[in-house]
Amino acid sequence: MNNSILLRLMLPLAAWGLVFSSSLQTMVGVWMQSKTYEHCFLIVPISLWLVWQKRQEIRKLPYTSSWIPLALLILPAMLWLLGRAADISLFEHVASVISLQLILWAVIGTPMAKLLWFPILFLIFAAPFGEELVPSLQIITADLSVFFLNLFNIPVYREGLYLTIPNGQFHVAEACSGIRFLISSIALGTLFAYLQFNHWWKRLLFTGFSFIFPIIANGLRAFGIITIGYLTDMEHATGADHLVYGWVFFSFVILVIFFTANIFADPPAKESDFSLHSVSEEKTNKSLKVIGSLTMVLLSLGLWEQSFTSTEAVTASTKEMPKNVAPVAQSEWGIQFQHAQQHALGQSQDGTIEYFNAIFSLRQDEGEVIHNSNQLFSKDNWKKVTSKVVHLTPELDATEVTVANNAGKKMKIIYWYCIDDFCSSKPIDIKLAQATHLITGQNATAEVLAIASTTLNESTIRELAKQWQ
């Protein structure tokens, strides 16, 4: 067998690309569409460059293969199946990259994988992750902004993510969470930690610094924008100024991380002296078995995934509306669940409360019950103020959202999802229930139920939601 690395990798990588093709396409699509993940285009070239830096040491090691990563492959394989069944892109993308890392380890063997541990592990930053942190980062940014404003005796009133100063109001939106800079900073900080430090504890400390510092710096950035608005009577720090300050902030963060790494950098490590006798050349049969087994496992995984990709039409009807509720075509609420196979919107005769219900099949060509294209309220007319979990029954926790419009009018929304008899307002619970039904071949429908009111008090709305449930 030709011991060229490229030839050894050719068949397993072809099978990997075939099986994970749809996940890889969506992953690259995220890189192209989101500025948060534009840096992902650099991850593979950087990893290849790091491997090239080790080319002299690679030549000293004979080629081997390993069964251990083949056994570990079952973990990302199941995560990927779960992601495909539940349509959780994060699971798909992370599982795709981890599978690639394990394939590389299996084909090049443990000794060479130890030498190339960082270039292989660095590939994980090609998976777009971190959006799940946005709500928490928004809260942290608001907390830090209020802290610094109080520190400088600038009057501020906070209501959720809205910060009001005497001459204006600011909203800590998703774009203000700092996630775009945080993810890039962690990737670069990890790279700097590997290149500049030799001791593992220094690398861990610096990686932690590259995570914490951007969060604090983003809080200072938000505080700075609010302060400029306060001092200039809102003539500055609005509109395009956010973009300008954002780029200045990002440049500052990267420079601080870069110079910190240089200040505390370790002296260059001596090149490792690998002995040709430390690792024996393996037999060709073992390599063939590992590569063949990898290919068969990957293809079997692809066949399993294809078994639950079919679309089934919904036969059930929407939930019956309460008495004295009449259907309406649209309302001020603006709730919208795209591509639902059936949906119903109703309003009570006195106009105090509205009901909404939509049904989906577990897997459709377009749309699903939990998707970022769905909206619980019109984002053009309403802004979210607060969100909390409410207990409707011992078996059901729903979510209550309070929204407000520009005129100060507030509306309360209570909603939950169901997969057959299982109901919850937690998206992850519904996703897992959906995946379980698909992987095990069970038929079911998915639905969302929601009620909203601008006039009724909290306890009355909850009681009506409990009765409808």
Side-chain angles (χ1 to χ4, degrees):
M1 178 181 178
N2 191 326
N3 275 332
S4 166
I5 292 181
L6 292 178
L7 288 177
R8 292 164 68 94
L9 287 170
M10 188 178 298
L11 191 58
L13 287 184
W16 174 79
L18 178 64
V19 172
F20 295 99
S21 59
S22 58
S23 299
L24 296 177
Q25 288 174 15
T26 60
M27 185 162 66
V28 174
V30 173
W31 299 354
M32 297 175 65
Q33 296 168 13
S34 174
K35 292 186 178 295
T36 303
Y37 300 108
E38 286 179 338
H39 69 278
C40 292
F41 283 105
L42 300 174
I43 300 301
V44 172
I46 290 174
S47 292
L48 292 174
W49 174 76
L50 293 172
V51 172
W52 177 254
Q53 297 295 107
K54 296 283 187 180
R55 62 190 181 280
Q56 298 299 330
E57 296 170 77
I58 291 174
R59 292 193 181 103
K60 297 179 182 179
L61 282 175
Y63 297 121
T64 63
S65 55
S66 176
W67 288 104
I68 298 175
L70 182 60
L72 295 176
L73 189 61
I74 187 64
L75 299 177
M78 295 308 298
L79 181 64
W80 182 74
L81 282 175
L82 183 61
R84 290 293 291 166
D87 199 16
I88 304 177
S89 297
L90 174 64
F91 288 3
E92 290 185 50
H93 298 158
V94 170
S96 299
V97 175
I98 294 177
S99 297
L100 174 60
Q101 293 171 322
L102 291 175
I103 290 170
L104 294 174
W105 175 10
V107 174
I108 67 177
T110 300
M112 194 174 293
K114 287 182 178 179
L115 174 65
L116 303 177
W117 68 272
F118 185 80
I120 294 175
L121 288 180
F122 192 66
L123 291 172
I124 195 62
F125 288 108
F129 61 87
E131 290 287 353
E132 302 74 20
L133 298 175
V134 168
S136 298
L137 291 174
Q138 287 177 271
I139 294 173
I140 292 173
T141 301
D143 290 341
L144 290 173
S145 299
V146 171
F147 171 78
F148 290 123
L149 289 169
N150 289 332
L151 198 63
F152 285 83
N153 293 320
I154 297 177
V156 59
Y157 171 73
R158 177 179 177 180
E159 186 175 14
L161 298 176
Y162 288 87
L163 306 181
T164 303
I165 58 176
N167 46 0
Q169 186 182 67
F170 291 85
H171 175 228
V172 184
E174 293 181 2
C176 303
S177 66
I179 187 65
R180 180 186 307 178
F181 309 122
L182 177 62
I183 300 300
S184 301
S185 298
I186 293 174
L188 287 173
T190 304
L191 178 62
F192 290 158
Y194 171 72
L195 295 174
Q196 302 284 47
F197 303 105
N198 302 324
H199 299 92
W200 66 268
W201 60 271
K202 283 189 176 182
R203 287 172 171 169
L204 285 178
L205 283 176
F206 189 78
T207 301
F209 167 74
S210 66
F211 176 79
I212 295 173
F213 176 70
I215 296 176
I216 298 175
N218 187 58
L220 286 170
R221 179 188 70 89
F223 158 72
I225 290 174
I226 297 173
T227 302
I228 292 172
Y230 175 72
L231 296 176
T232 63
D233 199 22
M234 301 302 288
E235 290 184 10
H236 300 287
T238 58
D241 289 348
H242 278 75
L243 182 61
V244 174
Y245 298 150
W247 279 111
V248 172
F249 157 75
F250 181 61
S251 301
F252 169 74
V253 169
I254 296 303
L255 284 173
V256 170
I257 291 176
F258 175 77
F259 283 115
T260 303
N262 275 275
I263 291 171
F264 297 100
D266 292 330
K270 294 181 179 180
E271 185 176 330
S272 301
D273 183 20
F274 286 91
S275 171
L276 288 174
H277 302 290
S278 62
V279 181
S280 60
E281 190 77 36
E282 70 176 12
K283 295 182 180 180
T284 301
N285 286 341
K286 180 183 177 182
S287 292
L288 286 173
K289 289 178 181 178
V290 170
I291 292 172
S293 299
L294 270 175
T295 305
M296 291 301 296
V297 168
L298 290 170
L299 294 178
S300 299
L301 181 64
L303 291 174
W304 190 357
E305 187 270 339
Q306 287 297 313
S307 68
F308 54 77
T309 57
S310 60
T311 301
E312 293 193 15
V314 166
T315 56
S317 59
T318 54
K319 189 175 182 66
E320 183 179 351
M321 295 290 177
K323 295 180 179 180
N324 301 322
V325 172
V328 293
Q330 58 183 0
S331 70
E332 184 184 18
W333 182 1
I335 187 169
Q336 185 177 17
F337 277 67
Q338 295 186 358
H339 308 294
Q341 296 197 14
Q342 295 185 37
H343 65 88
L345 176 65
Q347 187 178 74
S348 60
Q349 291 181 351
D350 56 7
T352 59
I353 192 162
E354 294 179 86
Y355 296 80
F356 177 82
N357 180 214
I359 296 183
F360 296 76
S361 65
L362 287 187
R363 196 171 185 87
Q364 302 179 181
D365 292 332
E366 285 187 285
E368 64 168 323
V369 70
I370 297 178
H371 194 272
N372 55 20
S373 64
N374 300 329
Q375 58 181 28
L376 286 164
F377 53 87
S378 172
K379 294 185 178 180
D380 294 330
N381 301 326
W382 305 94
K383 301 294 183 183
K384 184 165 73 172
V385 178
T386 61
S387 177
K388 60 183 178 181
V389 175
V390 295
H391 303 284
L392 294 185
T393 67
E395 296 80 24
L396 174 60
D397 289 342
T399 296
E400 180 181 279
V401 176
T402 302
V403 297
N405 60 17
N406 293 331
K409 184 179 181 180
K410 292 186 177 181
M411 177 171 65
K412 292 190 179 296
I413 305 168
I414 295 180
Y415 71 93
W416 63 95
Y417 307 99
C418 293
I419 303 290
D420 274 1
D421 295 330
F422 174 77
C423 297
S424 173
S425 63
K426 296 179 180 179
I428 188 62
D429 290 346
I430 297 301
K431 290 278 192 180
L432 292 176
Q434 174 183 334
T436 301
H437 280 76
L438 284 171
I439 292 175
T440 57
Q442 301 179 57
N443 294 325
T445 56
E447 64 179 325
V448 56
L449 298 97
I451 69 172
S453 177
T454 57
T455 58
L456 298 181
N457 60 44
E458 204 170 271
S459 59
T460 303
I461 298 173
R462 292 182 187 179
E463 184 60 31
L464 290 172
K466 180 179 178 180
Q467 294 173 7
W468 196 37
Q469 189 272 338

